[in-house]
Amino acid sequence: MFSKLANYFRFYRRMKGVITIMDEVDNTPTVLVSDEAENTVDRDREKLAFIFEGETWTFGEFDARANRVADWALRNNLGVGDTVALIMENCPDYVAIWIGLSKVGVVTALINTNLEGAGLAHCINIVGARTIIASGEQSANAKMILSDRDNETALWDFDNVHGADFKAALEASSEARPDRAGRAALTGTDTCVYIYTSGTTGLPKAAKITHDRLRRAMRMAPILGEITSDDIVYNCLPLYHITAGGMGIGSVLYCGATMHVRRKFSTSSFWDDVNESGATIFVYIGELCRYLVNSPDHPKERKHKLRAGVGNGLRSDVWAQFVERFNVPTMRELYGSTEGNVSFLNLDGMVGAVGQSPPILDSVTGVAFVKFDVEDEAPIRNKKGFCQKCKPEEVGEVLGRIDDEGRGAFKGYNDEGATKKKILTDVFKTGDKWFRTGDLMRRDKFGYVYFVDRIGDTFRWKGENVATNEVADVMSRFAGIEMANVYGVEVPKTDGRAGMAAITVQGSLDYAALAQHLLGNLPSYAVPIFIRESKEADTTGTFKFRKVDAVKEGFDPASVPDPLWVLDAKQGVYKPLSEQTHQAIVAGEMRL
């Protein structure tokens, strides 16, 4: 009992400091992200802000560039209420553009650089953007979709190939700061940027990121990594994503640290980069760390100055390997979605935990863990129609209490229907509203929170719930498997869904040994029945697995181009899946 209370007290003391920092946002409702950026610039204009491909930008140079963008916008009749779509790879100009636009009240839609065709057109249409800024391949993609539209959409191209010359337009613009009066009517509750969901299960949704929400995200990295203006932060994640573009950029725009920006993540260049720049912090998502752990030895992988990684989605197996192999003392994990009002912070580095949230503080933090029915994909309600809270170690969906303003606010998407789907009502009392994270988690007796699975990914087989994330963890610990994407597939004449895993491997894989590894470390019902050996993982720009197409293709050799294997439960081995075996399974002649 004493240790439990001591743990709660320690967590409360830490969270009190975090809440104090976050409350600063609520206490300054008229301060915008652009104001915060200008304040940082004014503290030290000559300090180094960005390192990029051999070039450096001071904070003063960054501000001057952002001011040119603001002037360009005004001269092109863009202002409060307008939206501009930005489609560019990582570079300091990327940040200068959306900060510059925010100085005159223009909202920037940060578009995934991997999109093209219908997906790209959708993202531009749903935010009503009539102006596009792009460069390189992204300009060509934008030009293609504009050929099917009216001529009202303006395309500005940094390279002056597919649209108006944006670079030349900036050079002809003024470096003077725009008058703040132009954005004086805006407050922290107004939208600053649109950031899109990853689109792993359909077309992306545009989440409204307000100035207040972005300012809170900008404070996350400094809190977790204890970042100061003396730090050099390495970022190779896409700036259109909240992890890099919100939390990561916060280390620069809020703390005044220096950021080494890389255009794209490169396994082979990672350790050269962090050594060259003297980076002390890096921004990660879990699969980035997995790629590095699975990479060959690098002569500089332990000669760096990195003292911490700050990010999310790091699995426990990769976490331990990463810290030991690369000698990075601290990995600071957090949990939070692009649009949601729930966040957890792992402030003491507990391996595998996404954060800590003792139940005694739920009323303060506004979170709830509720019992969940995997088959119905909905929270379980009691006789009175209300949700039921989980006990320690019980898996349930995490909800966030929706408040009108402040940390609990949920502004939703630029799609009313999609917004309504994320709100659960009458949860603990009639009329209350809670944000649905869509994530299944468990919380131990000390309040540490562990991610289990996404709703829709967990499936039932042989009357048991199978958490794909936990199965993938076990599979990934087997030598030779680089990545494992686990999902459930329908099998005729059976109840539930059978487990299947799409894996990428290094060299050849011992499937007999793999079967023994899985049977020895997982309940029998959780061992994947089918395995698909893919040449490369099908992921989003932020390395999240796309499962929808894989589920549709199933385990039919006629429709799957990759080698397939099926578990022979009697012999405890995986065998190649032939068309004949597939027909026997479908006909119910072969039991799984």
Side-chain angles (χ1 to χ4, degrees), residues 357-368 389 401 403 434 443:
S357 183
I360 196 172
L361 298 178
D362 284 356
S363 61
V364 177
T365 58
V367 300
K389 293 185 178 181
R401 184 181 62 228
D403 300 322
W434 293 71
R443 177 167 56 179

Side-chain angles (χ1 to χ4, degrees), residues 248-486:
I249 287 299
S251 61
V252 182
L253 301 185
Y254 172 62
C255 296
T258 299
M259 177 168 283
H260 180 178
V261 180
R262 184 176 177 86
R263 195 176 296 272
K264 288 183 178 180
F265 167 64
S266 167
T267 306
S268 60
S269 300
F270 185 90
W271 297 113
D272 288 325
D273 284 350
V274 297
N275 275 272
E276 179 182 341
S277 63
T280 54
I281 304 285
F282 78 103
V283 183
Y284 72 81
I285 54 175
E287 291 308 311
L288 180 152
C289 297
R290 182 183 296 282
Y291 282 124
L292 291 172
V293 164
N294 289 332
S295 66
D297 292 343
H298 191 286
K300 298 179 182 178
E301 66 183 33
R302 294 178 65 87
K303 297 179 179 179
H304 53 78
K305 295 180 181 179
L306 292 177
R307 61 176 176 80
V310 178
N312 61 293
L314 183 57
R315 292 177 176 175
S316 56
D317 59 321
V318 177
W319 190 323
Q321 293 179 64
F322 190 92
V323 169
E324 181 178 355
R325 174 175 167 181
F326 301 123
N327 191 34
V328 178
T330 305
M331 300 298 283
R332 293 291 174 85
E333 180 86 357
L334 84 158
Y335 165 84
S337 62
T338 300
E339 72 280 26
N341 63 356
V342 176
S343 61
F344 300 121
L345 305 178
N346 187 338
L347 297 172
D348 58 6
M350 173 64 75
V351 175
V354 299
Q356 192 177 17
S357 183
I360 196 172
L361 298 178
D362 284 356
S363 61
V364 177
T365 58
V367 300
F369 292 67
V370 297
K371 297 182 180 182
F372 190 82
D373 188 311
V374 172
E375 288 186 305
D376 292 341
E377 294 193 355
I380 299 171
R381 295 182 181 265
N382 59 23
K383 294 180 180 179
K384 294 182 178 180
F386 297 126
C387 295
Q388 305 173 68
K389 293 185 178 181
C390 295
K391 298 176 181 178
E393 300 294 353
E394 189 173 9
V395 175
E397 183 179 4
V398 175
L399 308 178
R401 184 181 62 228
I402 296 177
D403 300 322
D404 291 335
E405 300 298 341
R407 293 189 301 277
F410 171 56
K411 297 300 181 181
Y413 311 100
N414 219 32
D415 179 331
E416 186 176 350
T419 299
K420 288 181 177 179
K421 289 180 181 179
K422 297 294 287 185
I423 299 175
L424 193 67
T425 58
D426 303 330
V427 175
F428 299 116
K429 62 181 181 181
T430 303
D432 64 355
K433 295 181 179 181
W434 293 71
F435 169 76
R436 295 193 64 182
T437 64
D439 290 328
L440 299 178
M441 299 190 181
R442 64 179 176 85
R443 177 167 56 179
D444 68 17
K445 62 181 180 180
F446 298 111
Y448 287 107
V449 181
Y450 299 86
F451 179 82
V452 175
D453 223 348
R454 284 288 296 169
I455 290 174
D457 288 350
T458 291
F459 58 89
R460 287 181 70 80
W461 179 245
K462 296 187 181 299
E464 300 286 351
N465 295 339
V466 180
T468 61
N469 193 59
E470 293 182 351
V471 176
D473 274 347
V474 173
M475 294 196 75
S476 297
R477 291 199 292 269
F478 186 77
I481 293 182
E482 292 184 319
M483 301 179 74
N485 180 17
V486 180

Side-chain angles (χ1 to χ4, degrees), residues 123 156 165 211 315 365 378 426 510 512 548 585:
C123 288
W156 290 80
D165 191 341
H211 287 270
R315 292 177 176 175
T365 58
D426 303 330
D510 186 338
V548 175
I585 294 172

Side-chain angles (χ1 to χ4, degrees), residues 515-563:
Q516 293 306 306
H517 168 75
L518 296 176
L519 290 166
N521 290 279
L522 289 171
S524 59
Y525 62 80
V527 176
I529 303 297
F530 305 105
I531 291 181
R532 172 178 179 169
E533 186 178 315
S534 303
K535 293 182 179 179
E536 58 183 25
D538 185 13
T539 62
T540 68
T542 51
F543 309 125
K544 291 181 180 178
F545 289 115
R546 290 189 175 94
K547 297 189 179 187
V548 175
D549 291 341
V551 170
K552 288 180 180 178
E553 291 173 347
F555 59 97
D556 184 356
S559 59
V560 177
D562 304 317

